[in-house]
Amino acid sequence: MASLWRLELAAAMCGALILSSSSAAAAGKKTGQITVYWGQTAAEGRLREACGSGLYTTVIVSFLTGFGGGRYKLDLAGHDRGAVGPDVNPGGVLVLLSIGGGIGRYSLASKADAKAVADHLWDFYLGGRSKSRPFGDAVLDGIDFDIELGRPAHYDDLARYLKAYSGRKPGGKKVWLTAAPQCPFPDRMLGEALRTGVFDRVHVQFYNNPACSYRASNAAAFAAAWRKWASSLPRSSVYLGLPAAPGAANSGYVPPAALAGEALPIVQRSRNYGGVMLWSRYWDRRTGYSKKIKHAV
């Protein structure tokens, strides 16, 4: 298992590498930050390969597909969860766990239920203690909210409870919180949670939603949707979420040249532009999408 000192070194290195998105964008500089989802097929390779690729600043392990009511289910579709801990390495890459997803059974019945889920995530994946931690003694950097099913209730409570654990991690490190809402504003599942202002990053999914996805004929609507998201989240870094291949989503794929020359110049005008989020490592590995866009992100 990865030792705690190695994990803390990773966090320290990551802190040195990750720039302030607001100041970088304000100065007219590219942040170069790419987030990728990993965990839904063994064909994407091991976590250490993704973290060590030099392509991403954040890798999100997906998904905890079951939670609430005292029940929990981690689904890493084809991956050996015992191999995840050793792969959380000191390469300056944040590693988060995503809860939710498009398949599963999850919800929060009450504020007390949200507190119980926050405690579970702390004890099993973050800085707490449990005899049955799925990733051993590996301490992940935070939690991602990809809430697509069930009811929207109490995710604001869950976010506040998780953020309150900041400072209790080894070395006093914070708990990173990210979210992946759909681009129609406001997101019906995460709207209330995002209004708490406690999320560090918001990876807006500008795909599977033709009304706000980027294409040349829809550039004005895309720009309006982006501006709405960026202006509504002044305390968060906002990322442009995209599929890494045409087959990775039903719609919303943007070819690398169009992204670099047309879409990114629109979103990079926002002071809190943070970078690009890709679904997923599997598709990116097949197409090399991140390599083609990294210079422009």
Side-chain angles (χ1 to χ4, degrees), residues 32-51:
Q33 295 193 37
I34 299 178
T35 293
V36 73
Y37 280 83
W38 173 96
Q40 285 301 291
T41 172
E44 67 195 335
R46 292 185 62 166
L47 177 62
R48 75 172 57 184
E49 295 170 358
C51 290

Side-chain angles (χ1 to χ4, degrees), residues 183-185 204 206 211-213 219-232:
C183 61
F185 185 91
V204 186
F206 278 87
C212 44
S213 296
F222 166 79
W226 172 266
R227 287 194 298 269
K228 186 68 174 177
W229 276 106
S231 64
S232 73

Side-chain angles (χ1 to χ4, degrees), residues 9-264:
L9 177 59
M13 292 177 69
C14 180
L17 288 174
I18 292 185
L19 306 175
S20 166
S21 299
S22 296
S23 61
K29 299 177 182 178
K30 301 180 178 67
T31 67
Q33 295 193 37
I34 299 178
T35 293
V36 73
Y37 280 83
W38 173 96
Q40 285 301 291
T41 172
E44 67 195 335
R46 292 185 62 166
L47 177 62
R48 75 172 57 184
E49 295 170 358
C51 290
S53 67
L55 298 170
Y56 320 113
T57 54
T58 303
V59 177
I60 300 180
V61 177
S62 55
F63 293 101
L64 187 73
T65 59
F67 59 84
R71 303 174 194 169
Y72 301 93
K73 181 180 179 181
L74 177 67
D75 181 4
L76 297 184
H79 288 287
D80 175 9
R81 66 179 63 183
V84 173
D87 283 0
V88 178
N89 60 70
V93 175
L94 290 177
V95 179
L96 282 66
L97 173 69
S98 186
I99 63 172
I103 299 175
R105 185 177 180 181
Y106 52 85
S107 65
L108 298 172
S110 64
K111 191 171 184 177
D113 199 16
K115 180 63 165 62
V117 172
D119 292 344
H120 174 88
L121 293 170
W122 171 255
D123 288 336
F124 279 63
Y125 300 98
L126 302 175
R129 294 182 179 276
S130 172
K131 294 181 180 179
S132 54
R133 289 173 64 91
F135 304 149
D137 63 357
V139 178
L140 302 188
D141 294 289
I143 301 297
D144 172 69
F145 288 46
D146 183 16
I147 308 303
E148 303 181 29
L149 305 174
R151 298 178 295 113
H154 302 294
Y155 288 105
D156 55 337
D157 295 319
L158 178 59
R160 290 190 186 97
Y161 284 132
L162 285 168
K163 202 64 176 176
Y165 274 115
S166 286
R168 292 178 58 182
K169 293 181 67 178
K173 302 299 182 180
K174 75 175 184 179
V175 173
W176 286 78
L177 290 185
T178 65
Q182 306 288 316
C183 61
F185 185 91
D187 183 80
R188 74 178 184 88
M189 299 302 298
L190 287 171
E192 191 66 27
L194 292 173
R195 280 189 284 273
T196 64
V198 301
F199 287 86
D200 300 285
R201 299 178 181 176
V202 179
H203 307 115
V204 186
Q205 297 184 45
F206 278 87
Y207 54 96
N208 292 334
N209 293 286
C212 44
S213 296
Y214 180 80
R215 53 192 182 280
S217 62
N218 198 50
F222 166 79
W226 172 266
R227 287 194 298 269
K228 186 68 174 177
W229 276 106
S231 64
S232 73
L233 297 164
R235 296 168 61 184
S236 305
S237 293
V238 184
Y239 281 54
L240 176 61
L242 297 170
N250 292 326
S251 63
Y253 174 74
V254 182
L259 179 68
E262 301 165 23
L264 284 178

